[in-house]
Amino acid sequence: MAVFVIGAGQMGAGIAQVAAQAGIETYLNDISEAYILKGIEKIRTLLEKNVAKGKISAGEKDRILSGIKPALSLDDAKDCDLVIEAVIEKIELKQEIFSRLDKICKSETILASNTSSLPITEIAAATARPEKVIGMHFMQPVPVMSLVEVIRGLATSDETFGSVEELSKKMGKVPVEVKDVPGFISNRVLQMMINEAIYCVYEGVASPEGIDEIMKRGMNHPMGPLQLADFIGLDTVLYIMETMYKGYCDSKYRPCPLLRQYVKAGWLGRKSGRGFYTYQ
Ligand SMILES: NC(=O)c1ccc[n+]([C@@H]2O[C@H](COP(=O)([O-])OP(=O)(O)OC[C@H]3O[C@@H](n4cnc5c(N)ncnc54)[C@H](O)[C@@H]3O)[C@@H](O)[C@H]2O)c1
């Protein structure tokens, strides 16, 4: 069994880590070797922390790291059984990658997307194997969060669904089946709350700290919505809101203008050092 992960960012690195932890031969790809190595370094740091905390042994850390192989070209996916794509949330890019994978991979290979909101059916239409295309929506941080939303496109076969369900369990996750609608369940519900919290900042109703404090203390949320938005990445939050706005043709999903402004300014949250909060 071999898995090929595309995108070594916040999500892709985490997905590669849990795959390798499950003893699966794992390949990690990105647009340059530097990005791949940065992703692997992030995994190493997390694993070293787990060794220090006594959660895993140093030998286990080395085994996991040696199970992740950098892959500079998509052509390296040709013999893999499953590809999990985790590049940025842009439909044109995902379709282009899936169309290329369709020609590169063996006919049995399942092609999965970790998209947060984009239609799996539309991504699958870029291939000649829509029955083998599926959504595997991991949560951040991947090594910690147990959920995988498994999204069936219009043509996804029962066999593909069954294989992905089994594999998700092997990776230590709990798969939950969802239909192919914009935002699925997780983001259809979550992003509405985040967007509303951003509107509250925009309208000056309370400070980001105040809003987060209210949701943590009053609703028992482990993180406030703005802290969570920074953690997800404000560009990703905007892409998801735009997908839902277009997908449902309903104004209730309109992204807050302040969110657009932050993204245009390059304030993407934790990953860029500044969002609703600042980071070292
Ligand atoms: N951030 C979250 O909390 C979260 C949660 C679930 C799902 N997702 C989804 O996961 C995907 C990735 O999100 P992220 O937060 O990891 O983003 P990110 O910006 O941290 O990482 C994206 C990575 O993709 C790489 N990339 C871009 N174009 C590429 C290409 N053509 N080939 C290979 N690699 C390429 C980038 O270099 C970058 O390393 C998105 O679809 C997002 O919606 C994100």
Side-chain angles (χ1 to χ4, degrees), residues 1-3 15-26 60 63 81-82 84 136 138 143 146 148 150 161-175:
M1 173 80 205
V3 170
I15 295 167
Q17 181 182 331
V18 295
Q21 273 171 201
I24 299 166
E25 187 184 343
T26 304
E60 179 70 351
R63 184 195 66 76
D81 306 284
L82 170 70
I84 306 176
M136 268 183 107
F138 290 84
S146 57
V148 180
V150 183
F161 179 81
S163 305
V164 164
E165 199 178 30
E166 197 181 308
L167 198 84
S168 303
K169 289 181 188 160
K170 192 173 175 195
M171 289 163 98
K173 304 297 171 199
V174 177

PDB file of all heavy atoms in Angstrom, residues 1-3 15-26 60 63 81-82 84 136 138 143 146 148 150 161-175:
ATOM      1  N   MET A   1       0.844  -1.199   0.000  1.00  0.00           N
ATOM      2  CA  MET A   1       0.000   0.000   0.000  1.00  0.00           C
ATOM      3  C   MET A   1       0.879   1.247   0.000  1.00  0.00           C
ATOM      4  O   MET A   1       1.762   1.380   0.850  1.00  0.00           O
ATOM      5  CB  MET A   1      -0.861  -0.040   1.279  1.00  0.00           C
ATOM      6  CG  MET A   1      -1.667   1.201   1.540  1.00  0.00           C
ATOM      7  SD  MET A   1      -3.155   1.187   0.532  1.00  0.00           S
ATOM      8  CE  MET A   1      -3.546   2.871   0.380  1.00  0.00           C
ATOM      9  N   ALA A   2       0.671   2.132  -0.957  1.00  0.00           N
ATOM     10  CA  ALA A   2       1.437   3.383  -1.000  1.00  0.00           C
ATOM     11  C   ALA A   2       0.498   4.563  -1.224  1.00  0.00           C
ATOM     12  O   ALA A   2      -0.429   4.494  -2.021  1.00  0.00           O
ATOM     13  CB  ALA A   2       2.473   3.324  -2.122  1.00  0.00           C
ATOM     14  N   VAL A   3       0.766   5.650  -0.464  1.00  0.00           N
ATOM     15  CA  VAL A   3      -0.047   6.862  -0.558  1.00  0.00           C
ATOM     16  C   VAL A   3       0.832   8.011  -1.040  1.00  0.00           C
ATOM     17  O   VAL A   3       1.978   8.153  -0.607  1.00  0.00           O
ATOM     18  CB  VAL A   3      -0.662   7.215   0.825  1.00  0.00           C
ATOM     19  CG1 VAL A   3      -1.308   8.592   0.799  1.00  0.00           C
ATOM     20  CG2 VAL A   3      -1.707   6.193   1.229  1.00  0.00           C
ATOM     21  N   ILE A  15      -1.197  15.008   6.937  1.00  0.00           N
ATOM     22  CA  ILE A  15      -1.742  13.785   6.320  1.00  0.00           C
ATOM     23  C   ILE A  15      -0.602  12.780   6.082  1.00  0.00           C
ATOM     24  O   ILE A  15      -0.749  11.582   6.367  1.00  0.00           O
ATOM     25  CB  ILE A  15      -2.491  14.123   5.007  1.00  0.00           C
ATOM     26  CG1 ILE A  15      -3.727  14.994   5.318  1.00  0.00           C
ATOM     27  CG2 ILE A  15      -2.903  12.847   4.267  1.00  0.00           C
ATOM     28  CD1 ILE A  15      -4.371  15.652   4.096  1.00  0.00           C
ATOM     29  N   ALA A  16       0.539  13.293   5.587  1.00  0.00           N
ATOM     30  CA  ALA A  16       1.695  12.405   5.357  1.00  0.00           C
ATOM     31  C   ALA A  16       2.135  11.781   6.682  1.00  0.00           C
ATOM     32  O   ALA A  16       2.457  10.585   6.754  1.00  0.00           O
ATOM     33  CB  ALA A  16       2.837  13.200   4.727  1.00  0.00           C
ATOM     34  N   GLN A  17       2.113  12.574   7.745  1.00  0.00           N
ATOM     35  CA  GLN A  17       2.523  12.048   9.067  1.00  0.00           C
ATOM     36  C   GLN A  17       1.612  10.907   9.520  1.00  0.00           C
ATOM     37  O   GLN A  17       2.099   9.846   9.924  1.00  0.00           O
ATOM     38  CB  GLN A  17       2.515  13.172  10.109  1.00  0.00           C
ATOM     39  CG  GLN A  17       2.961  12.686  11.484  1.00  0.00           C
ATOM     40  CD  GLN A  17       2.907  13.777  12.547  1.00  0.00           C
ATOM     41  OE1 GLN A  17       3.061  14.953  12.260  1.00  0.00           O
ATOM     42  NE2 GLN A  17       2.689  13.372  13.784  1.00  0.00           N
ATOM     43  N   VAL A  18       0.283  11.107   9.449  1.00  0.00           N
ATOM     44  CA  VAL A  18      -0.604  10.039   9.953  1.00  0.00           C
ATOM     45  C   VAL A  18      -0.553   8.797   9.065  1.00  0.00           C
ATOM     46  O   VAL A  18      -0.705   7.676   9.551  1.00  0.00           O
ATOM     47  CB  VAL A  18      -2.065  10.508  10.197  1.00  0.00           C
ATOM     48  CG1 VAL A  18      -2.137  11.538  11.303  1.00  0.00           C
ATOM     49  CG2 VAL A  18      -2.744  11.023   8.939  1.00  0.00           C
ATOM     50  N   ALA A  19      -0.298   9.009   7.756  1.00  0.00           N
ATOM     51  CA  ALA A  19      -0.184   7.849   6.857  1.00  0.00           C
ATOM     52  C   ALA A  19       1.062   7.042   7.234  1.00  0.00           C
ATOM     53  O   ALA A  19       1.005   5.813   7.400  1.00  0.00           O
ATOM     54  CB  ALA A  19      -0.121   8.312   5.401  1.00  0.00           C
ATOM     55  N   ALA A  20       2.188   7.755   7.423  1.00  0.00           N
ATOM     56  CA  ALA A  20       3.443   7.068   7.773  1.00  0.00           C
ATOM     57  C   ALA A  20       3.333   6.406   9.147  1.00  0.00           C
ATOM     58  O   ALA A  20       3.855   5.306   9.366  1.00  0.00           O
ATOM     59  CB  ALA A  20       4.608   8.056   7.732  1.00  0.00           C
ATOM     60  N   GLN A  21       2.642   7.079  10.068  1.00  0.00           N
ATOM     61  CA  GLN A  21       2.447   6.497  11.409  1.00  0.00           C
ATOM     62  C   GLN A  21       1.699   5.171  11.325  1.00  0.00           C
ATOM     63  O   GLN A  21       1.919   4.268  12.125  1.00  0.00           O
ATOM     64  CB  GLN A  21       1.643   7.474  12.295  1.00  0.00           C
ATOM     65  CG  GLN A  21       2.530   8.478  13.008  1.00  0.00           C
ATOM     66  CD  GLN A  21       1.763   9.594  13.719  1.00  0.00           C
ATOM     67  OE1 GLN A  21       2.343  10.626  13.985  1.00  0.00           O
ATOM     68  NE2 GLN A  21       0.505   9.417  14.020  1.00  0.00           N
ATOM     69  N   ALA A  22       0.800   5.086  10.336  1.00  0.00           N
ATOM     70  CA  ALA A  22       0.009   3.858  10.165  1.00  0.00           C
ATOM     71  C   ALA A  22       0.805   2.770   9.425  1.00  0.00           C
ATOM     72  O   ALA A  22       0.265   1.710   9.111  1.00  0.00           O
ATOM     73  CB  ALA A  22      -1.275   4.180   9.408  1.00  0.00           C
ATOM     74  N   GLY A  23       2.076   3.063   9.136  1.00  0.00           N
ATOM     75  CA  GLY A  23       2.936   2.065   8.493  1.00  0.00           C
ATOM     76  C   GLY A  23       2.749   2.014   6.979  1.00  0.00           C
ATOM     77  O   GLY A  23       3.179   1.070   6.317  1.00  0.00           O
ATOM     78  N   ILE A  24       2.115   3.047   6.422  1.00  0.00           N
ATOM     79  CA  ILE A  24       1.882   3.095   4.968  1.00  0.00           C
ATOM     80  C   ILE A  24       3.062   3.799   4.296  1.00  0.00           C
ATOM     81  O   ILE A  24       3.544   4.830   4.787  1.00  0.00           O
ATOM     82  CB  ILE A  24       0.567   3.866   4.667  1.00  0.00           C
ATOM     83  CG1 ILE A  24      -0.633   3.160   5.311  1.00  0.00           C
ATOM     84  CG2 ILE A  24       0.367   4.055   3.176  1.00  0.00           C
ATOM     85  CD1 ILE A  24      -1.901   4.001   5.369  1.00  0.00           C
ATOM     86  N   GLU A  25       3.526   3.224   3.180  1.00  0.00           N
ATOM     87  CA  GLU A  25       4.596   3.863   2.411  1.00  0.00           C
ATOM     88  C   GLU A  25       4.036   5.192   1.888  1.00  0.00           C
ATOM     89  O   GLU A  25       2.989   5.216   1.233  1.00  0.00           O
ATOM     90  CB  GLU A  25       4.934   2.922   1.242  1.00  0.00           C
ATOM     91  CG  GLU A  25       6.110   3.317   0.427  1.00  0.00           C
ATOM     92  CD  GLU A  25       6.275   2.345  -0.757  1.00  0.00           C
ATOM     93  OE1 GLU A  25       5.694   1.225  -0.750  1.00  0.00           O
ATOM     94  OE2 GLU A  25       6.972   2.730  -1.697  1.00  0.00           O
ATOM     95  N   THR A  26       4.732   6.311   2.199  1.00  0.00           N
ATOM     96  CA  THR A  26       4.157   7.628   1.924  1.00  0.00           C
ATOM     97  C   THR A  26       5.104   8.493   1.104  1.00  0.00           C
ATOM     98  O   THR A  26       6.302   8.558   1.386  1.00  0.00           O
ATOM     99  CB  THR A  26       3.850   8.338   3.268  1.00  0.00           C
ATOM    100  OG1 THR A  26       3.003   7.483   4.033  1.00  0.00           O
ATOM    101  CG2 THR A  26       3.145   9.666   3.074  1.00  0.00           C
ATOM    102  N   GLU A  60      10.574   4.975  17.058  1.00  0.00           N
ATOM    103  CA  GLU A  60       9.301   5.151  16.358  1.00  0.00           C
ATOM    104  C   GLU A  60       9.339   6.427  15.501  1.00  0.00           C
ATOM    105  O   GLU A  60       8.892   6.447  14.351  1.00  0.00           O
ATOM    106  CB  GLU A  60       8.172   5.230  17.407  1.00  0.00           C
ATOM    107  CG  GLU A  60       6.772   5.436  16.861  1.00  0.00           C
ATOM    108  CD  GLU A  60       6.203   4.236  16.110  1.00  0.00           C
ATOM    109  OE1 GLU A  60       6.938   3.276  15.857  1.00  0.00           O
ATOM    110  OE2 GLU A  60       5.015   4.315  15.748  1.00  0.00           O
ATOM    111  N   ARG A  63      11.326   5.734  12.478  1.00  0.00           N
ATOM    112  CA  ARG A  63      10.582   4.862  11.553  1.00  0.00           C
ATOM    113  C   ARG A  63       9.572   5.692  10.744  1.00  0.00           C
ATOM    114  O   ARG A  63       9.454   5.548   9.533  1.00  0.00           O
ATOM    115  CB  ARG A  63       9.854   3.763  12.340  1.00  0.00           C
ATOM    116  CG  ARG A  63       9.133   2.755  11.467  1.00  0.00           C
ATOM    117  CD  ARG A  63       8.121   1.893  12.213  1.00  0.00           C
ATOM    118  NE  ARG A  63       6.980   2.626  12.736  1.00  0.00           N
ATOM    119  CZ  ARG A  63       5.956   3.070  12.007  1.00  0.00           C
ATOM    120  NH1 ARG A  63       5.946   2.883  10.695  1.00  0.00           N
ATOM    121  NH2 ARG A  63       4.962   3.713  12.577  1.00  0.00           N
ATOM    122  N   ASP A  81      -1.381   3.620  -4.627  1.00  0.00           N
ATOM    123  CA  ASP A  81      -2.764   3.105  -4.587  1.00  0.00           C
ATOM    124  C   ASP A  81      -3.763   4.210  -4.291  1.00  0.00           C
ATOM    125  O   ASP A  81      -4.931   4.120  -4.643  1.00  0.00           O
ATOM    126  CB  ASP A  81      -2.863   2.025  -3.498  1.00  0.00           C
ATOM    127  CG  ASP A  81      -1.816   0.960  -3.717  1.00  0.00           C
ATOM    128  OD1 ASP A  81      -2.017   0.145  -4.623  1.00  0.00           O
ATOM    129  OD2 ASP A  81      -0.767   0.983  -3.028  1.00  0.00           O
ATOM    130  N   LEU A  82      -3.277   5.226  -3.566  1.00  0.00           N
ATOM    131  CA  LEU A  82      -4.154   6.343  -3.206  1.00  0.00           C
ATOM    132  C   LEU A  82      -3.366   7.640  -3.310  1.00  0.00           C
ATOM    133  O   LEU A  82      -2.222   7.705  -2.854  1.00  0.00           O
ATOM    134  CB  LEU A  82      -4.656   6.171  -1.757  1.00  0.00           C
ATOM    135  CG  LEU A  82      -5.394   7.354  -1.144  1.00  0.00           C
ATOM    136  CD1 LEU A  82      -6.766   7.562  -1.781  1.00  0.00           C
ATOM    137  CD2 LEU A  82      -5.574   7.168   0.371  1.00  0.00           C
ATOM    138  N   ILE A  84      -3.696  11.667  -2.194  1.00  0.00           N
ATOM    139  CA  ILE A  84      -4.491  12.632  -1.440  1.00  0.00           C
ATOM    140  C   ILE A  84      -3.951  14.017  -1.778  1.00  0.00           C
ATOM    141  O   ILE A  84      -2.795  14.338  -1.495  1.00  0.00           O
ATOM    142  CB  ILE A  84      -4.435  12.398   0.090  1.00  0.00           C
ATOM    143  CG1 ILE A  84      -4.833  10.948   0.424  1.00  0.00           C
ATOM    144  CG2 ILE A  84      -5.369  13.389   0.809  1.00  0.00           C
ATOM    145  CD1 ILE A  84      -4.721  10.593   1.904  1.00  0.00           C
ATOM    146  N   MET A 136     -11.654  13.413   0.961  1.00  0.00           N
ATOM    147  CA  MET A 136     -11.174  12.957   2.280  1.00  0.00           C
ATOM    148  C   MET A 136     -10.824  14.234   3.016  1.00  0.00           C
ATOM    149  O   MET A 136      -9.728  14.765   2.863  1.00  0.00           O
ATOM    150  CB  MET A 136      -9.913  12.107   2.145  1.00  0.00           C
ATOM    151  CG  MET A 136     -10.139  10.636   2.024  1.00  0.00           C
ATOM    152  SD  MET A 136      -8.535   9.778   1.960  1.00  0.00           S
ATOM    153  CE  MET A 136      -8.487   9.031   3.581  1.00  0.00           C
ATOM    154  N   PHE A 138      -9.743  15.973   6.019  1.00  0.00           N
ATOM    155  CA  PHE A 138      -9.106  15.870   7.338  1.00  0.00           C
ATOM    156  C   PHE A 138      -9.263  17.208   8.051  1.00  0.00           C
ATOM    157  O   PHE A 138      -9.471  18.244   7.422  1.00  0.00           O
ATOM    158  CB  PHE A 138      -7.617  15.561   7.187  1.00  0.00           C
ATOM    159  CG  PHE A 138      -7.313  14.180   6.678  1.00  0.00           C
ATOM    160  CD1 PHE A 138      -7.324  13.896   5.313  1.00  0.00           C
ATOM    161  CD2 PHE A 138      -7.002  13.149   7.557  1.00  0.00           C
ATOM    162  CE1 PHE A 138      -7.039  12.625   4.843  1.00  0.00           C
ATOM    163  CE2 PHE A 138      -6.714  11.879   7.090  1.00  0.00           C
ATOM    164  CZ  PHE A 138      -6.733  11.612   5.732  1.00  0.00           C
ATOM    165  N   PRO A 143      -2.692  15.300  12.906  1.00  0.00           N
ATOM    166  CA  PRO A 143      -2.320  14.209  13.826  1.00  0.00           C
ATOM    167  C   PRO A 143      -3.182  14.171  15.095  1.00  0.00           C
ATOM    168  O   PRO A 143      -3.235  13.153  15.769  1.00  0.00           O
ATOM    169  CB  PRO A 143      -0.856  14.524  14.178  1.00  0.00           C
ATOM    170  CG  PRO A 143      -0.387  15.421  13.095  1.00  0.00           C
ATOM    171  CD  PRO A 143      -1.574  16.235  12.685  1.00  0.00           C
ATOM    172  N   SER A 146      -9.614  13.677  15.184  1.00  0.00           N
ATOM    173  CA  SER A 146      -9.948  12.303  14.783  1.00  0.00           C
ATOM    174  C   SER A 146     -10.880  12.209  13.571  1.00  0.00           C
ATOM    175  O   SER A 146     -11.018  11.142  12.983  1.00  0.00           O
ATOM    176  CB  SER A 146     -10.574  11.564  15.966  1.00  0.00           C
ATOM    177  OG  SER A 146     -11.713  12.261  16.419  1.00  0.00           O
ATOM    178  N   VAL A 148     -12.532  12.418   9.829  1.00  0.00           N
ATOM    179  CA  VAL A 148     -12.363  12.602   8.378  1.00  0.00           C
ATOM    180  C   VAL A 148     -13.769  12.614   7.781  1.00  0.00           C
ATOM    181  O   VAL A 148     -14.504  11.632   7.904  1.00  0.00           O
ATOM    182  CB  VAL A 148     -11.558  11.462   7.695  1.00  0.00           C
ATOM    183  CG1 VAL A 148     -11.443  11.740   6.200  1.00  0.00           C
ATOM    184  CG2 VAL A 148     -10.174  11.346   8.264  1.00  0.00           C
ATOM    185  N   VAL A 150     -15.921  12.092   4.798  1.00  0.00           N
ATOM    186  CA  VAL A 150     -15.701  11.393   3.524  1.00  0.00           C
ATOM    187  C   VAL A 150     -16.838  11.788   2.578  1.00  0.00           C
ATOM    188  O   VAL A 150     -18.010  11.540   2.874  1.00  0.00           O
ATOM    189  CB  VAL A 150     -15.634   9.868   3.717  1.00  0.00           C
ATOM    190  CG1 VAL A 150     -15.344   9.181   2.383  1.00  0.00           C
ATOM    191  CG2 VAL A 150     -14.563   9.495   4.738  1.00  0.00           C
ATOM    192  N   PHE A 161     -15.617   4.177  -1.875  1.00  0.00           N
ATOM    193  CA  PHE A 161     -16.008   4.656  -0.547  1.00  0.00           C
ATOM    194  C   PHE A 161     -15.529   3.680   0.535  1.00  0.00           C
ATOM    195  O   PHE A 161     -14.933   4.090   1.534  1.00  0.00           O
ATOM    196  CB  PHE A 161     -17.532   4.853  -0.466  1.00  0.00           C
ATOM    197  CG  PHE A 161     -17.966   5.323   0.887  1.00  0.00           C
ATOM    198  CD1 PHE A 161     -17.865   6.660   1.231  1.00  0.00           C
ATOM    199  CD2 PHE A 161     -18.419   4.424   1.847  1.00  0.00           C
ATOM    200  CE1 PHE A 161     -18.212   7.104   2.501  1.00  0.00           C
ATOM    201  CE2 PHE A 161     -18.773   4.849   3.112  1.00  0.00           C
ATOM    202  CZ  PHE A 161     -18.673   6.192   3.441  1.00  0.00           C
ATOM    203  N   GLY A 162     -15.761   2.382   0.298  1.00  0.00           N
ATOM    204  CA  GLY A 162     -15.374   1.349   1.274  1.00  0.00           C
ATOM    205  C   GLY A 162     -13.870   1.348   1.524  1.00  0.00           C
ATOM    206  O   GLY A 162     -13.420   1.256   2.673  1.00  0.00           O
ATOM    207  N   SER A 163     -13.078   1.472   0.453  1.00  0.00           N
ATOM    208  CA  SER A 163     -11.613   1.462   0.606  1.00  0.00           C
ATOM    209  C   SER A 163     -11.153   2.662   1.421  1.00  0.00           C
ATOM    210  O   SER A 163     -10.279   2.548   2.295  1.00  0.00           O
ATOM    211  CB  SER A 163     -10.904   1.526  -0.752  1.00  0.00           C
ATOM    212  OG  SER A 163     -11.337   0.511  -1.574  1.00  0.00           O
ATOM    213  N   VAL A 164     -11.748   3.834   1.148  1.00  0.00           N
ATOM    214  CA  VAL A 164     -11.329   5.058   1.845  1.00  0.00           C
ATOM    215  C   VAL A 164     -11.777   5.024   3.310  1.00  0.00           C
ATOM    216  O   VAL A 164     -11.050   5.473   4.206  1.00  0.00           O
ATOM    217  CB  VAL A 164     -11.858   6.297   1.082  1.00  0.00           C
ATOM    218  CG1 VAL A 164     -11.810   7.550   1.932  1.00  0.00           C
ATOM    219  CG2 VAL A 164     -11.041   6.499  -0.183  1.00  0.00           C
ATOM    220  N   GLU A 165     -12.948   4.460   3.540  1.00  0.00           N
ATOM    221  CA  GLU A 165     -13.443   4.323   4.913  1.00  0.00           C
ATOM    222  C   GLU A 165     -12.466   3.449   5.721  1.00  0.00           C
ATOM    223  O   GLU A 165     -12.041   3.814   6.823  1.00  0.00           O
ATOM    224  CB  GLU A 165     -14.821   3.656   4.854  1.00  0.00           C
ATOM    225  CG  GLU A 165     -15.639   3.836   6.089  1.00  0.00           C
ATOM    226  CD  GLU A 165     -17.013   3.192   5.946  1.00  0.00           C
ATOM    227  OE1 GLU A 165     -17.158   2.177   5.217  1.00  0.00           O
ATOM    228  OE2 GLU A 165     -17.932   3.689   6.591  1.00  0.00           O
ATOM    229  N   GLU A 166     -12.071   2.337   5.123  1.00  0.00           N
ATOM    230  CA  GLU A 166     -11.152   1.400   5.787  1.00  0.00           C
ATOM    231  C   GLU A 166      -9.785   2.056   6.031  1.00  0.00           C
ATOM    232  O   GLU A 166      -9.201   1.949   7.109  1.00  0.00           O
ATOM    233  CB  GLU A 166     -10.992   0.182   4.867  1.00  0.00           C
ATOM    234  CG  GLU A 166     -10.431  -1.034   5.539  1.00  0.00           C
ATOM    235  CD  GLU A 166     -10.299  -2.156   4.516  1.00  0.00           C
ATOM    236  OE1 GLU A 166     -11.281  -2.460   3.821  1.00  0.00           O
ATOM    237  OE2 GLU A 166      -9.193  -2.684   4.413  1.00  0.00           O
ATOM    238  N   LEU A 167      -9.306   2.763   5.002  1.00  0.00           N
ATOM    239  CA  LEU A 167      -8.002   3.401   5.115  1.00  0.00           C
ATOM    240  C   LEU A 167      -7.996   4.521   6.156  1.00  0.00           C
ATOM    241  O   LEU A 167      -7.019   4.693   6.891  1.00  0.00           O
ATOM    242  CB  LEU A 167      -7.590   3.968   3.761  1.00  0.00           C
ATOM    243  CG  LEU A 167      -6.113   4.229   3.715  1.00  0.00           C
ATOM    244  CD1 LEU A 167      -5.374   2.961   3.353  1.00  0.00           C
ATOM    245  CD2 LEU A 167      -5.787   5.337   2.763  1.00  0.00           C
ATOM    246  N   SER A 168      -9.096   5.256   6.234  1.00  0.00           N
ATOM    247  CA  SER A 168      -9.197   6.333   7.236  1.00  0.00           C
ATOM    248  C   SER A 168      -9.059   5.729   8.631  1.00  0.00           C
ATOM    249  O   SER A 168      -8.371   6.271   9.492  1.00  0.00           O
ATOM    250  CB  SER A 168     -10.547   7.055   7.137  1.00  0.00           C
ATOM    251  OG  SER A 168     -10.737   7.553   5.858  1.00  0.00           O
ATOM    252  N   LYS A 169      -9.718   4.585   8.834  1.00  0.00           N
ATOM    253  CA  LYS A 169      -9.642   3.913  10.151  1.00  0.00           C
ATOM    254  C   LYS A 169      -8.211   3.461  10.408  1.00  0.00           C
ATOM    255  O   LYS A 169      -7.698   3.593  11.522  1.00  0.00           O
ATOM    256  CB  LYS A 169     -10.605   2.727  10.194  1.00  0.00           C
ATOM    257  CG  LYS A 169     -12.059   3.165  10.254  1.00  0.00           C
ATOM    258  CD  LYS A 169     -12.979   1.960  10.308  1.00  0.00           C
ATOM    259  CE  LYS A 169     -14.437   2.386  10.176  1.00  0.00           C
ATOM    260  NZ  LYS A 169     -15.319   1.301   9.772  1.00  0.00           N
ATOM    261  N   LYS A 170      -7.562   2.947   9.366  1.00  0.00           N
ATOM    262  CA  LYS A 170      -6.168   2.494   9.515  1.00  0.00           C
ATOM    263  C   LYS A 170      -5.262   3.671   9.919  1.00  0.00           C
ATOM    264  O   LYS A 170      -4.290   3.507  10.668  1.00  0.00           O
ATOM    265  CB  LYS A 170      -5.687   1.893   8.188  1.00  0.00           C
ATOM    266  CG  LYS A 170      -4.383   1.153   8.304  1.00  0.00           C
ATOM    267  CD  LYS A 170      -3.995   0.421   7.052  1.00  0.00           C
ATOM    268  CE  LYS A 170      -2.621  -0.176   7.271  1.00  0.00           C
ATOM    269  NZ  LYS A 170      -1.980  -0.616   6.078  1.00  0.00           N
ATOM    270  N   MET A 171      -5.616   4.875   9.456  1.00  0.00           N
ATOM    271  CA  MET A 171      -4.832   6.069   9.792  1.00  0.00           C
ATOM    272  C   MET A 171      -5.259   6.636  11.147  1.00  0.00           C
ATOM    273  O   MET A 171      -4.865   7.753  11.516  1.00  0.00           O
ATOM    274  CB  MET A 171      -4.993   7.133   8.688  1.00  0.00           C
ATOM    275  CG  MET A 171      -4.291   6.758   7.393  1.00  0.00           C
ATOM    276  SD  MET A 171      -4.890   7.729   5.974  1.00  0.00           S
ATOM    277  CE  MET A 171      -3.692   8.982   5.855  1.00  0.00           C
ATOM    278  N   GLY A 172      -6.074   5.901  11.879  1.00  0.00           N
ATOM    279  CA  GLY A 172      -6.470   6.301  13.233  1.00  0.00           C
ATOM    280  C   GLY A 172      -7.608   7.304  13.268  1.00  0.00           C
ATOM    281  O   GLY A 172      -7.810   7.982  14.284  1.00  0.00           O
ATOM    282  N   LYS A 173      -8.354   7.430  12.172  1.00  0.00           N
ATOM    283  CA  LYS A 173      -9.406   8.447  12.096  1.00  0.00           C
ATOM    284  C   LYS A 173     -10.800   7.815  12.097  1.00  0.00           C
ATOM    285  O   LYS A 173     -10.961   6.626  11.828  1.00  0.00           O
ATOM    286  CB  LYS A 173      -9.248   9.279  10.798  1.00  0.00           C
ATOM    287  CG  LYS A 173      -7.886   9.932  10.646  1.00  0.00           C
ATOM    288  CD  LYS A 173      -7.619  10.943  11.748  1.00  0.00           C
ATOM    289  CE  LYS A 173      -6.213  11.469  11.767  1.00  0.00           C
ATOM    290  NZ  LYS A 173      -5.823  12.070  13.024  1.00  0.00           N
ATOM    291  N   VAL A 174     -11.786   8.667  12.383  1.00  0.00           N
ATOM    292  CA  VAL A 174     -13.181   8.223  12.348  1.00  0.00           C
ATOM    293  C   VAL A 174     -13.829   8.840  11.104  1.00  0.00           C
ATOM    294  O   VAL A 174     -14.011  10.060  11.038  1.00  0.00           O
ATOM    295  CB  VAL A 174     -13.943   8.673  13.618  1.00  0.00           C
ATOM    296  CG1 VAL A 174     -15.406   8.262  13.543  1.00  0.00           C
ATOM    297  CG2 VAL A 174     -13.268   8.115  14.870  1.00  0.00           C
ATOM    298  N   PRO A 175     -14.139   8.008  10.087  1.00  0.00           N
ATOM    299  CA  PRO A 175     -14.751   8.565   8.871  1.00  0.00           C
ATOM    300  C   PRO A 175     -16.255   8.778   9.036  1.00  0.00           C
ATOM    301  O   PRO A 175     -16.937   7.947   9.630  1.00  0.00           O
ATOM    302  CB  PRO A 175     -14.484   7.478   7.820  1.00  0.00           C
ATOM    303  CG  PRO A 175     -14.299   6.213   8.590  1.00  0.00           C
ATOM    304  CD  PRO A 175     -13.856   6.565   9.981  1.00  0.00           C
TER     305      PRO A 175
END
